[in-house]
């Protein structure tokens, strides 16, 4: 009787089983109520009768005899037989028999029976329970109400490497690291106290016996109670998901890297993003070292081992030292270091365990290791399009587990993605440098010598927008001591915009040499832009939905003799004028259409500028920043120009400081000019009537004035020039002519008349009596030319005064 289960669910339990006692002859001597319920035989009908006669089918006698023999031999028997019901049918029952002896009655048989279906269900439940402890791949831990382990299955044994029997009686979490053990005990206690089941909770389960190995378990738990509601403990199902957890973490890191690496087209910024992504998800310290040509935007040579520049550094913890070389510092790798091998061979290096001598001054890593706590290393080449651009180095020091092959695979994938972004940034840098070189070559490198204005210039390229703008400025000396001031802005960005700007600037120089009026210059430029647009359309270069070529321009001509300034603009912001007394105003000037619209007129306006006035020309980048309203920008610009007497460079810098952010989003061109006036004593002008003596009169006036200016050494050449120009006016013009001499950097001789007939330089034949006048003028002067006005034309010459001034 002692071996019979007392389980509530056991069909052979005394309260649930049909029990019969047989004597040694097989007669029934005992019969319980459950037997009567299942088989219908009252006790009085079966007691004293042979069981074979009452209960057994004759066809089952061989099985009964075999079972009886087995029971005598082994002390017990179990099997399934059909037992006769009182109504004649047979009931399939599971039977368990065993013998026992009593002194007064000899040997007797105890037979316990239950419906075969109940027995099979119970056996299945027992098999499942046994499988949970012996064969189930998911760990099972049973905790008592006192938070001590009652039993674990073999899966927990495999998970921990500790025999299952050793767990019995241990406190919950005893074999885990303190932090993990505390969380494990809190988890079981919460389920025990609240009765709420815990489902699929991820928990760290690092063992004290193997702290370097990171383990993650998926835990579900429920409270156990008996039928009366008494709490028996907590059962936990523990599944080792370390591999799955690491795979999910790697996938998350890949996803994060996709959104964080390569957000800009900046080589150094991309390298820093790569280092920051690696820490702390994969490594405790990370550094990114790029070959120096890559930093400059150049293509590195193959198998180049250095020198490199450390452009990305990141480490965990404020107190944790990172790699010793600071960001931006040059690094030289010894030939036997992993980094040098990685650079030259283009292959990754995994060193799960670093030897202790790696950190000595003579070791393989030397000063390149982050600190003495580093114990594991990965070096990955940053390669793109067949070129090694640099290396990514990862260390582990705080995290106890070493790098493994999966970590190397992840680092390679991240390194490949980052290398492509770095190479794109390198190529962009190369293109930017080429564009900047082109643009720098197209912009004026120095302000040309001239006497009309003092000039301060600023050109600030955009740092936030891709590509270059087409902003430009120019200071162009003109005849008669005048000067042209130009500011323009080409629509678009990049090399195309810079090249277009260069073509327009060249055209402006050419048109300025013709001494055209500002509105006429803009009209000619408008024709040129229209022609450029037609060329691009013909070759299919027009970007979809964009204007082919467009530009704005402002052209001003200042005369230091008359103090008059003629200005015209083509869709460009108006200039700011500051009077000598500090009064600032925008010049009221017709806007004019932008260049390239074609066929629309431009209008110039003339104003008088007192000596010492400021004329500020600029592109819209200085007032059109996204965070500044244009009116606010103009107000700030005017406020910065209220002190005309200050140093011009100081005023120019004040404008920049007031309006230009640290990273401007558009190119900015700024030109500030302070007007000068030629002294009256350096200018002489005479009206000459058109009469035969005009040449003699011109020579006499010229000779007298040069003597007054102490320029007698130029008297012969200047008298010849004046007489020849006056003679041409007499021959081909009508109305009076004007002779003017100007003494500044050059000695300027001008003759103006009311004719628009252009003089031509030609080579006279030996038999010709005339036609040599302009040829002689060209030989005597350094430069000569003709400019046209609405009233006529002016022929001018320039002779150098350098020898005189020295």
């Amino acid at each position: 009787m002692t071996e019979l289960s007392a389980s509530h669910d056991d069909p052979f339990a005394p309260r649930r089983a049909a029990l019969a006692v047989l004597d040694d002859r097989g007669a029934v001597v005992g019969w319980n109520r459950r037997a009567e319920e299942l088989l219908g035989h009252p006790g009085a009908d079966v007691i004293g009768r042979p069981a074979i006669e009452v209960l057994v089918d004759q066809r089952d006698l061989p099985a009964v005899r075999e079972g009886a023999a087995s029971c005598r031999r082994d002390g017990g028997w179990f099997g399934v037989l059909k037992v006769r019901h009182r109504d004649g049918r047979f009931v399939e029952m599971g039977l368990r028999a065993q013998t026992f002896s009593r002194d007064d009655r000899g040997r007797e048989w105890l037979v316990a029976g239950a419906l075969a279906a109940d027995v099979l269900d119970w056996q299945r439940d027992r098999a499942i329970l046994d499988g949970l402890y012996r064969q189930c791949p998911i760990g099972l831990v049973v905790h008592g109400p006192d938070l001590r382990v009652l039993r674990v299955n073999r899966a927990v044994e495999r998970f921990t490497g500790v025999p299952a029997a050793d767990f019995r009686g241990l406190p919950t979490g005893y074999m885990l690291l303190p932090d993990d053990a505390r969380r494990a005990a809190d988890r079981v206690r919460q389920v025990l106290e609240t009765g709420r089941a815990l489902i699929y909770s991820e928990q760290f389960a690092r063992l004290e016996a193997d702290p370097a190995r990171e383990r993650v378990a998926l835990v579900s738990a429920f409270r156990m109670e008996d039928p009366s509601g008494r709490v028996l403990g907590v059962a936990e199902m523990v599944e080792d998901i370390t591999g799955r957890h690491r795979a999910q973490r790697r996938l998350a890191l890949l996803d994060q890297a996709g959104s964080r690496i390569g957000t800009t087209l900046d080589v150094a910024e991309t390298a820093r993003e790569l280092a920051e992504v690696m820490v702390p998800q994969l490594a405790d310290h990370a550094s990114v070292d790029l070959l120096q040509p890559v930093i400059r935007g150049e293509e590195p040579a193959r198998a180049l081992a250095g020198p490199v520049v450390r452009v990305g550094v990141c480490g965990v913890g404020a107190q944790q030292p990172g790699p010793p070389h600071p960001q931006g510092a040059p690094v030289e790798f010894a030939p036997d270091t992993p980094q040098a091998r990685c650079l030259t061979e283009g292959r990754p290096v995994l060193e799960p365990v670093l030897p202790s001598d790696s950190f000595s001054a003579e070791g393989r890593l030397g000063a390149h290791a982050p600190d003495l706590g580093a114990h594991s290393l990965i070096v990955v080449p940053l390669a793109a399009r067949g070129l090694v651009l640099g290396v990514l180095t990862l260390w582990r020091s705080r995290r106890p587990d070493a790098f493994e092959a999966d970590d190397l695979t992840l680092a390679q994938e991240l390194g490949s993605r980052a290398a492509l972004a770095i190479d794109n940034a390198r190529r962009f840098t190369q293109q930017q440098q080429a564009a900047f070189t082109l643009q720098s070559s197209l912009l004026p490198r120095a302000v040309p010598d001239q006497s009309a204005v003092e000039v301060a210039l600023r050109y600030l390229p955009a740092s936030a927008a891709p590509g270059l703008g087409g902003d430009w400025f120019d200071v162009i000396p003109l005849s008669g001591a005048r000067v042209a001031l130009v500011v323009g802005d080409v629509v678009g960005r990049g090399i195309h915009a810079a090249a277009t700007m260069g073509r327009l600037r060249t055209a402006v120089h050419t048109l300025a040499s013709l001494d055209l009026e500002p509105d006429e210059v803009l009209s000619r430029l408008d024709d040129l832009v229209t022609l450029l647009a037609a060329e691009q359309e013909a070759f299919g270069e027009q970007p979809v939905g964009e204007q082919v070529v467009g530009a704005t321009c402002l052209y001003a001509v200042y005369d230091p003799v008359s103090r008059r300034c003629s200005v015209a603009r083509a869709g460009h912001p108006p200039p700011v004028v500051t009077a000598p007394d500090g009064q600032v105003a925008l010049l009221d000037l017709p806007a004019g259409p932008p260049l390239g619209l074609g066929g629309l007129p431009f209008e110039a306006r003339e104003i008088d500028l007192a000596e010492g006035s400021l004329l500020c020309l600029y592109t819209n980048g200085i007032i059109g920043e996204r965070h500044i309203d244009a009116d606010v920008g103009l107000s700030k610009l005017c406020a910065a120009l209220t002190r005309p007497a200050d140093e011009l460079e100081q005023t120019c810098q004040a404008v920049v400081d007031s309006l230009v952010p640290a990273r401007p989003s558009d190119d900015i061109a700024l030109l500030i000019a302070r007007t000068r006036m030629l002294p009256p004593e350096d200018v002489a002008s005479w009206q000459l009537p058109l009469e035969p003596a005009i040449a003699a009169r011109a020579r006499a006036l010229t000779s007298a004035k040069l003597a007054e200016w102490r320029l007698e050494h130029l008297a012969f050449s200047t008298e010849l020039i004046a007489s020849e120009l006056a003679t041409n006016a007499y021959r081909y013009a009508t109305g009076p002519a004007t002779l003017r001499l100007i003494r500044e950097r050059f000695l300027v001789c001008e003759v103006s008349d009311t004719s628009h007939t252009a003089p031509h330089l030609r080579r006279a034949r030996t038999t010709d009596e005339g036609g040599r006048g302009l040829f002689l003028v060209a030989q005597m002067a350094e430069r000569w030319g003709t400019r046209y006005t609405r009233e006529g034309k002016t022929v001018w010459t320039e002779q150098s005064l350098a020898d005189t001034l020295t």
Side-chain angles (χ1 to χ4, degrees):
M1 294 288 291
T2 58
E3 294 186 10
L4 291 176
S5 173
S7 170
H8 177 72
D9 295 327
D10 186 356
F12 294 109
R15 293 184 180 181
R16 300 189 60 194
L19 299 177
V21 180
L22 308 180
D23 61 15
D24 195 37
R25 297 185 302 252
V28 178
V29 296
W31 190 260
N32 73 346
R33 184 182 297 275
R34 181 58 176 165
E36 183 178 342
E37 292 174 355
L38 291 177
L39 300 175
H41 299 285
D45 290 351
V46 297
I47 291 178
R49 299 176 62 185
I52 291 176
E53 177 185 326
V54 180
L55 303 174
V56 179
D57 186 353
Q58 296 299 315
R59 291 171 294 183
D60 292 334
L61 287 177
V64 172
R65 292 190 181 99
E66 183 180 349
S70 175
C71 188
R72 292 189 187 99
R73 182 178 63 251
D74 301 328
W77 171 84
F78 172 78
V80 178
L81 290 175
K82 292 181 179 179
V83 182
R84 182 183 288 115
H85 195 273
R86 181 182 181 186
D87 59 10
R89 59 187 174 88
F90 288 92
V91 179
E92 192 172 38
M93 298 185 69
L95 301 175
R96 179 182 292 174
Q98 60 186 116
T99 63
F100 61 95
S101 299
R102 291 199 295 187
D103 294 341
D104 56 343
R105 297 184 182 180
R107 184 168 57 183
E108 292 183 342
W109 304 71
L110 176 62
V111 181
L115 295 176
D118 293 343
V119 173
L120 289 175
D121 289 343
W122 176 75
Q123 285 182 321
R124 190 179 298 113
D125 292 344
R126 288 297 300 267
I128 292 174
L129 184 61
D130 184 70
L132 286 175
Y133 280 102
R134 297 180 182 276
Q135 298 174 338
C136 180
I138 299 176
L140 175 63
V141 183
V142 180
H143 305 271
D146 58 353
L147 296 186
R148 289 186 176 272
V149 178
L150 299 177
R151 188 176 180 182
V152 300
N153 67 351
R154 290 182 180 176
V156 174
E157 182 178 290
R158 291 190 297 271
F159 180 73
T160 61
V162 178
D166 293 351
F167 279 89
R168 189 180 298 274
L170 293 177
T172 297
Y174 175 78
M175 294 186 179
L176 302 178
L177 292 178
D179 288 344
D180 295 347
R182 175 178 50 78
R183 283 190 286 267
D186 291 343
R187 181 176 65 243
V188 174
R189 184 181 296 108
Q190 182 179 7
V191 174
L192 189 68
E193 294 175 353
T194 64
R196 290 194 297 269
L198 180 70
I199 301 175
Y200 297 144
S201 174
E202 287 191 5
Q203 307 288 337
F204 282 101
R206 296 166 293 186
L207 300 176
E208 279 193 329
D210 189 11
R213 183 178 177 188
E214 182 186 66
R215 301 167 186 263
V216 181
L218 192 65
V219 179
S220 297
F222 61 92
R223 189 168 70 182
M224 301 181 297
E225 301 175 357
D226 64 10
S228 65
R230 182 167 60 94
V231 176
L232 301 177
V234 173
E236 279 188 316
M237 307 296 291
V238 182
E239 182 181 0
D240 184 3
I241 61 166
T242 303
R244 187 195 315 168
H245 178 78
R246 290 179 178 176
Q248 290 175 344
R249 189 168 60 188
R250 292 184 181 110
L251 288 175
L253 184 57
L254 285 173
D255 181 67
Q256 182 184 18
S259 61
R260 290 186 57 186
I261 298 176
T263 59
T264 66
L265 286 172
D266 183 89
V267 172
E269 182 63 26
T270 303
R272 286 191 292 270
E273 290 169 348
L274 174 60
E276 291 170 359
V277 164
M278 292 295 183
V279 178
Q281 287 86 346
L282 186 61
D284 295 323
H285 309 278
S287 67
V288 179
D289 304 303
L290 299 180
L291 293 166
Q292 286 186 346
V294 177
I295 302 297
R296 298 192 296 266
E298 302 169 4
E299 187 170 290
R302 296 183 182 275
L304 187 64
V308 300
V309 177
R310 182 147 291 172
V311 290
V313 176
C314 191
V316 295
Q319 304 302 321
Q320 287 288 324
H325 294 276
Q327 189 167 293
V331 180
E332 287 284 350
F333 293 122
D336 60 339
T337 58
Q339 290 88 346
R341 297 202 315 270
C342 185
L343 280 172
T344 54
E345 299 174 8
R347 297 180 180 177
V349 177
L350 169 61
E351 297 201 7
V353 180
L354 293 175
S356 58
D357 63 349
S358 295
F359 306 99
S360 65
E362 298 79 16
R364 293 180 304 108
L365 300 182
H368 303 299
D371 62 81
L372 296 181
H375 60 79
S376 191
L377 170 74
I378 282 179
V379 184
V380 174
L382 299 175
R385 302 179 178 94
L387 292 175
V388 176
L389 309 177
V391 292
L392 165 66
T393 307
L394 306 176
W395 289 274
R396 279 186 179 173
S397 57
R398 295 181 65 183
R399 186 180 304 189
D401 52 318
F403 285 120
E404 56 188 17
D406 287 342
D407 296 322
L408 179 62
T409 302
L410 177 61
Q412 285 181 277
E413 175 64 24
L414 293 173
S416 297
R417 295 187 181 187
L420 188 59
I422 290 172
D423 193 53
N424 289 337
R426 177 192 68 80
R427 292 182 171 213
F428 176 76
T429 300
Q430 188 179 42
Q431 183 186 32
Q432 284 288 87
Q433 289 174 346
F436 276 123
T437 301
L438 172 62
Q439 192 174 38
S440 299
S441 67
L442 296 176
L443 288 173
R445 303 195 176 196
V447 178
D449 291 335
Q450 42 80 38
S451 305
V453 292
E454 177 190 359
V455 177
L457 303 170
R458 290 291 188 278
Y459 179 79
L460 304 172
S463 58
L468 296 172
D471 296 22
W472 91 93
F473 49 71
D474 231 324
V475 178
I476 306 173
L478 302 177
S479 63
R482 298 169 306 134
V483 66
L485 305 176
V486 189
V487 171
D489 185 0
V490 175
V491 173
R493 307 196 64 80
I495 293 180
H496 172 73
T500 303
M501 175 269 288
R503 299 176 75 173
L504 292 181
R505 179 171 178 257
T506 302
V508 169
H509 271 263
T510 302
L511 296 172
S513 67
L514 299 177
D515 273 323
L516 300 178
E517 295 292 330
D519 54 343
E520 182 65 20
V521 170
L522 295 182
S523 295
R524 302 286 182 88
L525 280 181
D526 183 64
D527 294 339
L528 175 61
V529 172
T530 302
L531 178 62
L532 293 177
E535 289 180 357
Q536 290 188 19
E537 288 178 339
F539 287 97
E541 298 178 0
Q542 179 180 3
V544 178
E546 296 184 10
Q547 185 178 356
V548 179
V549 177
T552 64
C553 185
L554 187 144
Y555 189 91
V557 175
Y558 173 69
D559 187 343
V561 177
S562 64
R563 295 185 294 103
R564 296 194 67 79
C565 182
S566 179
V567 189
R569 62 181 178 133
H572 203 83
V576 177
V577 177
T578 304
D581 61 0
Q583 295 294 320
V584 183
L586 285 175
L587 183 58
D588 185 12
L589 186 66
L595 301 175
L597 297 185
L600 298 175
F602 299 95
E603 184 177 351
R605 181 187 174 192
E606 287 191 352
I607 58 171
D608 290 328
L609 295 177
E611 184 177 11
S613 299
L614 296 184
L615 186 63
C616 178
L617 282 62
Y618 52 91
T619 55
N620 58 7
I622 203 166
I623 61 170
E625 285 287 333
R626 296 190 183 107
H627 65 284
I628 299 179
D629 181 80
D631 292 337
V632 175
L634 284 173
S635 298
K636 288 186 175 182
L637 178 60
C638 293
L641 295 170
T642 56
R643 299 171 61 88
D646 289 352
E647 290 289 334
L648 204 57
E649 285 294 330
Q650 178 181 341
T651 301
C652 194
Q653 189 59 43
V655 171
V656 172
D657 294 341
S658 176
L659 283 94
V660 180
R663 296 177 62 87
S665 61
D666 192 9
D667 288 13
I668 293 172
L670 175 65
L671 186 157
I672 302 179
R674 178 183 285 124
T675 60
R676 296 168 177 163
M677 179 180 178
L678 290 184
E681 60 270 18
D682 287 340
V683 181
S685 179
W686 303 276
Q687 284 250 330
L688 301 177
L690 296 183
E691 56 187 23
I694 187 173
R697 175 67 174 164
R699 285 195 299 272
L701 293 172
T702 300
S703 177
K705 179 54 68 176
L706 293 183
E708 179 184 337
W709 286 344
R710 297 183 180 181
L711 297 176
E712 292 88 349
H713 63 286
L714 295 176
F716 175 76
S717 59
T718 308
E719 288 178 18
L720 177 61
I721 290 171
S723 65
E724 290 295 335
L725 296 182
T727 299
N728 282 342
Y730 170 73
R731 288 179 177 177
Y732 304 111
T734 58
T738 301
L739 171 65
R740 186 169 72 165
L741 297 178
I742 301 175
R743 181 180 62 175
E744 45 118 21
R745 295 176 305 111
F746 298 93
L747 176 61
V748 178
C749 178
E750 297 178 345
V751 174
S752 303
D753 58 50
T754 57
S755 172
H756 288 87
T757 303
H760 294 287
L761 179 66
R762 65 184 180 89
R763 183 176 296 277
R765 291 173 297 183
T766 56
T767 57
D768 290 342
E769 296 182 358
R772 298 178 179 84
L774 283 181
F775 177 78
L776 293 175
V777 169
Q779 296 299 312
M780 294 294 181
E782 285 195 8
R783 291 198 312 148
W784 75 279
T786 305
R787 67 174 180 268
Y788 294 90
T789 64
R790 293 178 177 83
E791 294 79 19
K793 70 175 183 298
T794 299
V795 183
W796 55 269
T797 64
E798 291 180 354
Q799 300 177 80
S800 175
L801 293 180
D803 295 338
T804 303
L805 296 176
T806 57

